[in-house]
Amino acid sequence: MMWYDGWGWGGWFAMVIFMVLFWVLVIAGVLVLVRYLTGGHRPHQAGPSPGTGEAGWGSRRAEDVLAERFARGEIDEDEYKRRLTLLREHR
């Protein structure tokens, strides 16, 4: 039988510590990557928040959604103008 006269228990202890640190870093890296890829990196939107009760926030967001739908071709120009007029009337 071979005996290794190296670090002894200190080597095993260091190996356990480094292995735990390695896996913690791997898991943290995966979590950061998933958060980045799923949109967790978006900056905070400037302007009034929906909870402040200030007029304009909801209508501005509705206009943005309407513009996005028009840009994607989900609605035509006539429907876009009709809905935009309706949104602005009820502001």
Side-chain angles (χ1 to χ4, degrees):
M1 190 177 268
M2 296 177 83
W3 291 95
Y4 179 70
D5 240 1
W7 290 8
W9 285 103
W12 283 101
F13 184 70
M15 185 172 60
V16 168
I17 296 295
F18 284 121
M19 199 55 141
V20 168
L21 288 175
F22 170 78
W23 285 111
V24 166
L25 289 175
V26 168
I27 291 170
V30 168
L31 291 175
V32 168
L33 181 65
V34 167
R35 183 176 172 137
Y36 178 78
L37 293 177
T38 59
H41 65 284
R42 291 186 190 129
H44 181 67
Q45 179 180 348
S49 64
T52 60
E54 293 182 28
W57 184 87
S59 61
R60 173 57 58 195
R61 178 71 183 130
E63 289 177 14
D64 292 342
V65 170
L66 187 62
E68 289 173 10
R69 290 186 64 201
F70 177 64
R72 285 192 300 258
E74 294 178 10
I75 57 175
D76 61 357
E77 185 177 359
D78 293 331
E79 187 175 353
Y80 172 74
K81 288 180 181 179
R82 183 177 54 82
R83 290 182 182 210
L84 186 61
T85 303
L86 186 65
L87 282 173
R88 289 182 176 168
E89 282 178 3
H90 295 292
R91 207 184 278 186

